């Protein structure tokens, strides 16, 4: 089964069949906000294209996110992303996004590819979606029997990793880092990492209460920015001195639990591995302190390299030098 636009389907059973067995294609274009260096689009906004493709897949099956929420009390949540960028995206480029269901039973998992020329794969991604029962507005169950097997009470429920005490700060955690906060100090002890505390703000959330996937993508981008600045090789420093820019061939994030609006997120960014002098892999771990326990809410990794640009259009990958390697390793 293949379809490219919203269709009129007679029953929920048919809509679910389209959602879970049909392949869709839609045209996507990166947003202008994602253009930070010359005309290239960063990994966060490439992941936004993947998200838009999945949302379009639900619309094509006549199960758009608005309908799911308003009629059936279900929040559509992207809960896992594993994305590889094979070729860079630029401003004003369009791509054909193909979404193919890969789940069995009630698993809502999808393989997404983006192709600019309709032949070659420029991005590949594995996506997991949850339909979370929304009881914030109305606790009554509105989920019909056909959708009930796909509905979950919570996105995920992680086991606490340890006892922990949240010490309230005068500035809502705005200046709390591993240099000043006792819990953050413990979380980075013995590792090549930085950490900070952040009050989950409304613009990063959706469905009235929860931090959403795009919020974690924004935090992962900020984590890298904070890390290199802390090590003396900030984005602007390498831009000004060398015209070097970070490039991301691979990123992934997975929800472990729910993180709620105005909770304080404890974010740890650790450089795990430097591969020769070409790429390094970092891990982001996010926690909240809830009922005296440290609860993990998300984890993810991101692979970085560097490219140098010769003009407004062209760039090429460059190996790390000793200065950058020393900074990345924390030596």
């Amino acid at each position: 089964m293949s379809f490219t636009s919203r269709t009129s389907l007679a029953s929920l059973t048919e809509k679910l069949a389209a959602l879970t067995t049909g392949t869709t294609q839609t045209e996507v274009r990166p947003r202008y906000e994602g253009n930070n260096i010359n005309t290239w689009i960063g990994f966060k906004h490439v992941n936004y294209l993947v998200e838009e493709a999945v949302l379009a897949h639900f619309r094509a099956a006549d199960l758009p996110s608005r309908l799911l929420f308003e009629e059936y009390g279900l929040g559509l949540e992207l809960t896992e992303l594993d994305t590889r960028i094979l070729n860079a995206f630029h401003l004003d480029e369009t791509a054909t996004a193909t979404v193919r269901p890969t789940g069995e039973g009630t698993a809502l998992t999808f393989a997404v590819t983006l192709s600019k020329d309709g032949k070659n794969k420029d991005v590949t991604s594995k996506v997991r979606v949850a339909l979370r029962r929304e009881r914030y507005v109305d606790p009554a169950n509105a989920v019909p029997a056909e959708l009930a097997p796909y509905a979950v009470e919570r996105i995920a429920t992680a086991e606490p990793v340890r006892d922990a005490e949240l010490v309230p700060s005068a500035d809502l955690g705005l200046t709390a880092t591993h240099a000043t906060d006792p819990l953050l100090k413990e979380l980075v002890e013995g590792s090549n990492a930085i950490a900070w505390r952040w009050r989950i703000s409304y613009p990063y959330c959706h469905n009235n209460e929860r931090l959403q996937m795009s919020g974690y993508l924004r935090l992962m981008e900020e984590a890298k920015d904070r890390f290199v600045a802390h090590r003396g090789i900030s984005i602007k420093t390498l831009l000004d001195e060398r015209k070097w820019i970070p490039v991301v061939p691979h990123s992934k994030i997975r929800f472990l639990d729910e993180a709620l609006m105005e909770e304080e997120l404890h974010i740890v960014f650790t450089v795990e591995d430097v591969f020769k002098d070409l790429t390094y892999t970092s891990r982001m771990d996010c926690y909240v302190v809830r009922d005296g326990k440290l609860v993990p809410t998300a984890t993810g990794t991101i692979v970085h390299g560097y490219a140098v640009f010769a003009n407004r259009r062209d760039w090429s990958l460059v190996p790390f030098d000793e200065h950058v390697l020393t900074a990345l390793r924390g030596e």
Side-chain angles (χ1 to χ4, degrees):
M1 181 187 297
S2 179
F3 46 94
T4 57
S5 62
R6 181 171 174 174
T7 58
S8 296
L9 301 172
S11 68
L12 273 176
T13 300
E14 290 177 296
K15 294 177 184 181
L16 282 168
L19 181 72
T20 57
T21 64
T23 297
T24 59
Q25 290 188 327
T26 189
E27 186 177 273
V28 293
R29 186 194 301 270
R31 303 175 193 173
Y32 193 64
E33 182 201 343
N35 159 232
N36 306 125
I37 307 297
N38 288 353
T39 62
W40 300 300
I41 299 299
F43 87 98
K44 177 182 67 179
H45 278 262
V46 172
N47 275 303
Y48 287 178
L49 297 181
V50 171
E51 179 182 66
E52 178 53 39
V54 172
L55 293 174
H57 182 79
F58 275 78
R59 286 193 293 269
D62 209 21
L63 288 169
S65 57
R66 178 182 174 183
L67 174 74
L68 288 169
F69 185 91
E70 293 181 353
E71 297 296 324
Y72 305 134
L74 291 171
L76 194 162
E77 296 273 5
L78 272 69
T79 63
E80 190 168 349
L81 280 174
D82 186 340
T83 301
R84 296 182 183 273
I85 302 174
L86 308 176
N87 296 297
F89 265 82
H90 294 254
L91 280 181
D92 299 321
E93 288 186 319
T94 59
T96 299
T98 302
V99 180
R100 178 176 58 84
T102 58
E104 296 182 0
T106 58
L108 294 173
T109 58
F110 305 92
V112 180
T113 61
L114 306 182
S115 174
K116 290 182 280 188
D117 63 5
K119 299 176 182 178
N120 299 300
K121 295 179 180 179
D122 297 297
V123 174
T124 63
S125 186
K126 300 174 185 177
V127 184
R128 179 175 292 274
V129 171
L131 299 182
R132 202 268 203 188
R133 292 179 184 265
E134 300 292 353
R135 303 187 187 273
Y136 184 90
V137 177
D138 184 352
N141 177 31
V143 181
E146 294 91 338
L147 287 172
Y150 298 88
V152 297
E153 292 293 336
R154 289 179 65 86
I155 296 170
T157 305
E159 289 294 324
V161 297
R162 50 167 285 184
D163 293 335
E165 180 183 0
L166 178 62
V167 180
S169 55
D171 62 359
L172 300 175
L174 290 175
T175 59
T177 71
H178 65 279
T180 60
D181 184 271
L183 178 56
L184 294 175
K185 284 182 181 181
E186 293 181 29
L187 291 176
V188 303
E189 186 175 1
S191 60
N192 184 15
I194 65 165
W196 80 100
R197 207 160 86 190
W198 175 72
R199 175 180 175 270
I200 299 173
S201 61
Y202 154 76
Y204 287 68
C205 299
H206 70 170
N207 295 343
N208 302 309
E209 57 181 352
R210 294 187 304 278
L211 181 60
Q212 61 174 302
M213 176 60 79
S214 63
Y216 280 117
L217 289 168
R218 291 160 72 180
L219 289 170
M220 180 172 274
E221 190 170 50
E222 180 177 351
K224 185 274 169 43
D225 183 76
R226 282 175 174 255
F227 182 87
V228 293
H230 182 264
R231 296 297 172 85
I233 54 169
S234 74
I235 303 295
K236 181 170 171 51
T237 297
L238 294 189
L239 269 174
D240 289 349
E241 293 180 356
R242 312 178 184 199
K243 292 186 172 57
W244 281 22
I245 59 170
V247 293
V248 177
H250 189 198
S251 65
K252 57 183 178 180
I253 302 179
R254 176 168 56 96
F255 282 39
L256 303 175
D257 208 314
E258 298 181 352
L260 305 180
M261 190 186 303
E262 297 188 3
E263 284 190 305
E264 289 194 22
L265 205 65
H266 295 65
I267 306 159
V268 182
F269 189 76
T270 307
V271 171
E272 292 187 312
D273 177 60
V274 179
F275 179 71
K276 297 183 178 180
D277 59 355
L278 295 173
T279 61
Y280 69 97
T281 301
S282 301
R283 188 180 77 251
M284 183 180 77
D285 296 299
C286 299
Y287 308 87
V288 295
V289 177
R290 190 178 290 155
D291 300 325
K293 303 289 185 180
L294 187 67
V295 180
T297 63
T299 187
T301 58
I302 186 168
V303 178
H304 269 102
Y306 278 102
V308 61
F309 58 85
N311 51 51
R312 291 191 294 269
R313 182 180 291 109
D314 301 315
W315 58 273
S316 58
L317 293 173
V318 291
F320 308 147
D321 63 15
E322 196 58 37
H323 175 62
V324 171
L325 283 171
T326 299
L328 293 175
R329 291 171 175 158
E331 297 171 348

